[in-house]
Amino acid sequence: VLEGFAPVRHAVPMLSIRTETDTGEGGAIAFDARVRRELDLAGDAPPVAYACELKFDGLAINLRYEHGVLVQAATRGDGETGEDVTQNIRTIGQIPLRLRGDPPPAVLEVRGEVYMRRDDFERLNERQRDKGGKTFVNPRNTAAGAVRQLDSRAMADKKLSFFAYGLGEVQGWPGAEPTTHTGVLDALAAWGLPVSADRRVVTGAAGLVAFNSAIEARRDALPFDIDGVVYKVDDLALQRQLGFKTREPRWAVAHKYPAQEQMTRLKGIEIQVGRTGKLTP
Ligand code: IVH
């Protein structure tokens, strides 16, 4: 059991992405229009290629591999400094302790999301019910909570999963570096890192809208929770040209789905004496 998590200063800050406020197709159209304007593209210039991904609903993690060996895993924290959760992350079977295939870069930081599949969450809660223990509220909080427990025994009964979606610090990429985000994810997959198959390269606003509605239609059938999709300019040279605005890249956006609503029956309200001595529902 650890006394506390050691702070980890990220070599490359872990930034967040802007969320498009319009959850309808207007959000996708607005992002494409902004990218084109910021790249100074003429109206008749060819459509921009975008890498479209799922927005996984879990906990952002930075995995640091040195010469192909996992040496550290850290949470995002405030983006500059996170927490060293290596001990817990090492128990996630899907995360390779050693990369496979062609030699990887001397330093390779992989960024992605730790999450819990819905079936693993249901199984965990079934076991909790069987032993009369308390059930967990949702997969996201369960996954994030387990990773941030000082006692890694909290991880033992929880099967967590991981999807890689980007890079942090990289030193010494072997051979020619990929020129697209898609090429980066393909390389990570070849080294044995889990990368979602639900990713597509599309062109222009129409491609973003089509990806968004195709995923929204399948949202409930996915084996894990998502809270939207993410669009990224695929060409890394264009990403560099677009750069960052304060703490957010101009080349990516999160396009969230409206919150899921369900009918429920209120069965009763219990009144009790609260912490302050007052009666609280
Ligand atoms: S890219 C600089 N891609 O959403 C861009 N983030 O603010 C870095 N997330 O908490 C993020 N799925 O952990 C990216 N396919 C995806 C993602 C994703 C989930 C999370 C991320 C962060 C938030 C973005």
Side-chain angles (χ1 to χ4, degrees), residues 15-17 53-56 60 76 113 165 230 232 249 251:
L15 302 178
S16 57
I17 39 182
E53 298 171 4
L54 306 182
K55 188 169 189 299
F56 314 109
R76 184 169 108 89
E113 201 88 350
Y165 56 62
V230 177
K232 299 171 183 174
W251 43 264

Side-chain angles (χ1 to χ4, degrees), residues 13-19 52-61 76 111-113 140 164-166 181 227-230 232 244 247-249 251-252 254 256:
M14 285 183 83
L15 302 178
S16 57
I17 39 182
R18 206 173 56 80
T19 298
C52 299
E53 298 171 4
L54 306 182
K55 188 169 189 299
F56 314 109
D57 201 10
L59 177 71
I61 290 287
R76 184 169 108 89
R111 290 185 175 167
E113 201 88 350
R140 173 190 141 106
Y165 56 62
H181 176 73
D227 59 348
V229 291
V230 177
K232 299 171 183 174
F244 296 85
R247 311 292 301 145
E248 292 165 346
W251 43 264
K256 292 205 186 177

Side-chain angles (χ1 to χ4, degrees), residues 54 56 115-118 163 198 219 222-226:
L54 306 182
F56 314 109
Y115 66 96
M116 192 175 215
R117 288 173 53 103
R118 289 182 185 141
F163 276 132
D198 287 307
R219 183 180 183 186
L222 291 172
F224 46 80
D225 289 348
I226 58 168

Side-chain angles (χ1 to χ4, degrees), residues 4-10 72-75 78 80-85:
F5 293 118
V8 174
R9 187 145 180 95
H10 298 300
Q72 188 183 66
T75 59
D78 64 3
E80 300 288 336
T81 307
E83 292 174 320
D84 186 333
V85 288

Side-chain angles (χ1 to χ4, degrees), residues 114-118 120-121 124 139 142-143 158-160 224:
V114 168
Y115 66 96
M116 192 175 215
R117 288 173 53 103
R118 289 182 185 141
D120 290 324
F121 176 74
L124 169 67
T142 311
K158 299 178 193 74
K159 185 160 175 260
L160 303 189
F224 46 80

Side-chain angles (χ1 to χ4, degrees), residues 42 50 77 79-80 92 103 111 144 169 171 184 201 219 240 254 264:
Y50 296 104
E80 300 288 336
I92 301 177
R111 290 185 175 167
E169 187 186 12
Q171 286 178 30
V184 168
V201 180
R219 183 180 183 186
R240 279 188 287 273
T264 185

